[in-house]
């Protein structure tokens, strides 16, 4: 069903909508996707399409934007992809970019380079949420609420229809609650619904907003989630094969690594990939957007998964290890990324001192198969843990996934 949904997402349709005057926005999705929809826009995502052209994008980033060859391929594919879109026959009508200023500095630089290329960039100004004094929370919420109003005026020239926004916020919460249920249920038998499929589901949870036929696609996605919940309830009562429970930290751009984990007897029982933050439904929808963004930062569910602090992410990982009773940690990152190279080393030292086995791997933004060296390292790590009975999991577990 995921494949059927993906087939309905055609970038040509999105371009056509933009040329017809619909505000089409890339960037800060799916965080504020309901706001874009409530303003009559489409929160588009062309990452998957550009991922297949990542080598072209990186080449353009190096030749035209003069980004060093050894630098982060994710950043280069982002700005290179925007450059390729502008250079396609007829150019592109999708020129609006909504960016969160609290992302890593190179990502912010991508936005400024895109502006110079002719894109219409709007930046949501960030707050340093992790240093917030609890008594000042209302000030922080009010600040982000005003940022949401600024986004609406940028998109449609006037304030957003709050009744429509409220409806879309509640609908997004309905989907998120189902995803939380799926993540909870799979813990009883994680090898039945492995991480490769979980990753596909999480990607789809953001992408279903990005289509021109949003209402129809949402119904299909909800139907898929309900079917999956029923299937996992059945799987919870089936025999459980031995596995090594692991926590995955960092962005896993290449599915080859997760496939290797799945095929080697490892089971990712916890990760920092899932957004489980819900919008509040007991307040005005603009306030709900503001609190959602603030809580995502505080929980480490923003783009850097650590509230923009390299030293904080290891604590979030440790919480996942305790919550899921994982026996090891796999930390992933992007080659050439100054941020993830720092966090990987800090996390390796941190968990090694605590006696928790940890493996650090890195890769690129390309869709190329991962190297045999990385596959062998992952297999050896899992086999090492599997050979020790203390690290094997043979019983089903039932854990709650935090939803707020």
């Amino acid at each position: 069903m995921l494949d059927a949904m993906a087939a309905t997402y055609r970038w040509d349709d999105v371009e056509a909508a933009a040329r017809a005057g619909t505000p089409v926005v890339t960037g800060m999705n799916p965080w504020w996707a309901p706001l874009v929809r409530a303003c009559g826009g489409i929160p588009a995502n062309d990452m998957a399409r550009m991922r297949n052209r990542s080598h072209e994008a990186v080449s353009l980033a190096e030749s035209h934007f003069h980004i060093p060859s050894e630098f982060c391929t994710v950043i280069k594919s982002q700005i290179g992809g925007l450059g390729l879109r502008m250079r396609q026959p007829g150019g592109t009508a999708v020129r609006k970019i909504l960016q969160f200023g609290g992302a890593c500095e190179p990502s912010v630089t991508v936005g400024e380079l895109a502006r110079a290329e002719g894109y219409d960039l709007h930046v949501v100004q960030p707050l340093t949420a992790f240093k917030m004094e609890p008594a000042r929370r209302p000030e922080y919420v009010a600040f982000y609420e005003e940022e949401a109003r600024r986004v609406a005026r940028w998109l449609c020239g006037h304030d957003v229809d709050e009744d429509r926004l409220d409806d879309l916020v509640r609908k997004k919460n309905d989907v998120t609650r189902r995803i939380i249920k799926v993540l909870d249920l799979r813990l009883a038998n994680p090898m039945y619904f492995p991480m490769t499929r979980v990753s596909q589901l999480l990607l789809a949870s953001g992408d279903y907003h990005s289509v021109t036929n949003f209402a129809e696609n949402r119904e299909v996605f909800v139907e898929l989630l309900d079917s999956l919940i029923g299937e996992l309830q059945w799987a919870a009562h089936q025999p459980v094969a031995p596995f090594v429970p692991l926590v995955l930290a960092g962005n896993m751009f290449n599915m080859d690594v997760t496939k290797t984990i799945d095929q080697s007897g490892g089971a990712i029982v916890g990760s920092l990939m899932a957004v489980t933050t819900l919008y509040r439904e007991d307040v005005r929808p603009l306030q709900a957007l503001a609190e959602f963004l603030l809580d995502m930062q505080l929980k480490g569910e923003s783009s850097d998964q650590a509230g923009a602090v390299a030293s904080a992410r290891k604590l979030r990982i440790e919480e996942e290890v305790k919550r899921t009773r994982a026996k090891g940690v796999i930390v992933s990152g992007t080659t050439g990324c100054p941020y993830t190279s720092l966090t990987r080393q800090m996390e390796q030292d941190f968990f090694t001192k605590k006696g928790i086995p940890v493996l650090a791997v890195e890769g690129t933004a390309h869709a190329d198969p991962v190297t045999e060296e990385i596959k062998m390292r992952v297999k050896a790590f899992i086999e090492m843990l599997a050979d020790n009975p203390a690290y094997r999991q043979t019983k089903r577990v039932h854990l709650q996934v935090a939803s707020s």
Side-chain angles (χ1 to χ4, degrees):
M1 196 177 291
L2 282 174
D3 291 339
M5 281 180 57
T8 69
Y9 185 51
R10 292 179 290 271
W11 185 256
D12 288 347
D13 293 343
V14 176
E15 283 277 3
R19 294 186 190 282
T22 300
V24 178
V25 183
T26 59
M28 195 174 155
N29 302 319
W31 302 352
W32 280 5
L35 178 60
V36 177
R37 282 281 171 193
C39 290
I42 298 174
N45 184 352
D46 69 338
M47 286 181 61
R49 185 178 72 99
M50 281 302 172
R51 184 166 165 73
N52 294 326
R53 300 182 65 189
S54 61
H55 286 285
E56 292 178 72
V58 166
S59 178
L60 183 64
E62 293 175 358
S63 62
H64 178 72
F65 296 100
H66 307 295
I67 298 178
S69 60
E70 64 272 15
F71 198 67
C72 174
T73 54
V74 173
I75 296 300
K76 289 190 290 187
S77 65
Q78 286 176 355
I79 185 58
L82 290 169
L84 287 175
R85 203 190 320 146
M86 195 66 83
R87 287 163 176 74
Q88 67 189 12
T92 178
V94 181
R95 299 199 176 194
K96 288 185 177 295
I97 301 175
L98 180 60
Q99 184 180 66
F100 180 51
C104 70
E105 189 61 32
S107 290
V108 175
T109 302
V110 166
E112 294 305 321
L113 290 172
R115 194 200 300 271
E117 285 284 295
Y119 284 94
D120 179 8
L121 175 71
H122 183 92
V123 179
V124 174
Q125 298 300 322
L127 291 170
T128 310
F130 59 91
K131 291 184 178 179
M132 179 186 70
E133 298 174 14
R136 296 191 62 191
R137 182 182 175 96
E139 296 177 47
Y140 280 57
V141 171
F143 178 87
Y144 277 147
E145 192 171 342
E146 181 57 32
E147 287 299 293
R149 290 192 184 94
R150 288 180 59 238
V151 170
R153 294 173 193 136
W154 169 66
L155 280 174
C156 53
H158 53 77
D159 289 340
V160 66
D161 181 337
E162 294 203 34
D163 289 337
R164 186 178 183 187
L165 178 59
D166 184 70
D167 178 61
L168 288 163
V169 160
R170 292 173 187 274
K171 285 179 176 176
K172 192 162 193 306
N173 274 349
D174 287 343
V175 169
T176 302
R177 289 190 183 97
R178 285 175 166 87
I179 291 173
I180 292 170
K181 183 72 171 177
V182 167
L183 295 176
D184 184 24
L185 287 170
R186 76 169 288 268
L187 293 176
N189 194 347
M191 300 299 284
Y192 179 82
F193 189 61
M195 191 61 196
T196 304
R197 293 181 63 192
V198 173
S199 298
Q200 293 170 337
L201 183 72
L202 294 178
L203 289 172
S205 71
D207 289 348
Y208 81 93
H209 267 282
S210 306
V211 295
T212 52
N213 55 332
F214 166 67
E216 176 186 338
N217 233 37
R218 181 190 173 278
E219 290 182 7
V220 172
F221 192 53
V222 168
E223 180 184 342
L224 180 149
L225 289 172
D226 288 341
S227 174
L228 183 57
I229 287 169
E231 190 176 342
L232 291 174
Q233 287 171 334
W234 170 84
H237 301 285
Q238 304 309 305
V240 178
F243 61 90
V244 176
L246 303 165
V247 165
L248 174 65
N251 290 315
M252 190 65 74
F253 291 101
N254 198 309
M255 290 296 107
D256 265 10
V257 178
T258 52
K259 287 179 183 177
T260 301
I261 295 170
D262 294 339
Q263 294 168 359
S264 301
I268 302 299
V269 294
S271 83
L272 306 191
M273 293 174 62
V275 174
T276 57
T277 300
L278 294 169
Y279 298 94
R280 289 184 59 180
E281 297 182 5
D282 60 337
V283 296
R284 293 175 295 103
L286 279 172
Q287 181 181 339
L289 287 180
E291 300 217 25
F292 177 85
L293 181 54
L294 182 59
D295 287 337
M296 279 191 66
Q297 286 183 274
L298 292 170
K299 288 176 65 177
E301 289 185 346
S302 54
S303 60
D304 53 25
Q305 303 174 331
V309 185
S311 61
R313 194 176 79 163
K314 63 180 182 290
L315 303 178
R316 175 91 194 279
I317 299 170
E318 185 180 26
E319 289 176 3
E320 277 293 281
V321 170
K322 292 177 180 178
R323 184 185 69 82
T324 61
R325 305 169 200 165
K327 305 302 181 182
V329 175
I330 295 181
V331 179
S332 66
T334 308
T335 303
C337 172
Y339 172 76
T340 57
S341 63
L342 174 64
T343 55
R344 282 200 308 277
Q345 187 59 56
M346 294 176 70
E347 288 156 4
Q348 259 192 306
D349 295 343
F350 179 78
F351 289 109
T352 299
K353 289 177 181 177
K354 288 181 171 287
I356 299 173
V358 57
L359 173 68
V361 296
E362 62 179 26
T364 69
H366 302 307
D368 305 340
V370 298
T371 65
E372 286 301 316
E373 178 190 358
I374 292 178
K375 288 185 179 181
M376 291 303 297
R377 289 179 61 212
V378 170
K379 289 179 180 179
F381 179 70
I382 294 173
E383 288 172 3
M384 176 193 72
L385 298 180
D387 288 340
N388 187 333
Y391 293 128
R392 282 201 308 271
Q393 179 77 46
T394 57
K395 299 179 180 178
R396 65 181 79 254
V397 293
H398 296 276
L399 304 170
Q400 293 299 314
V401 176
S403 60
S404 63

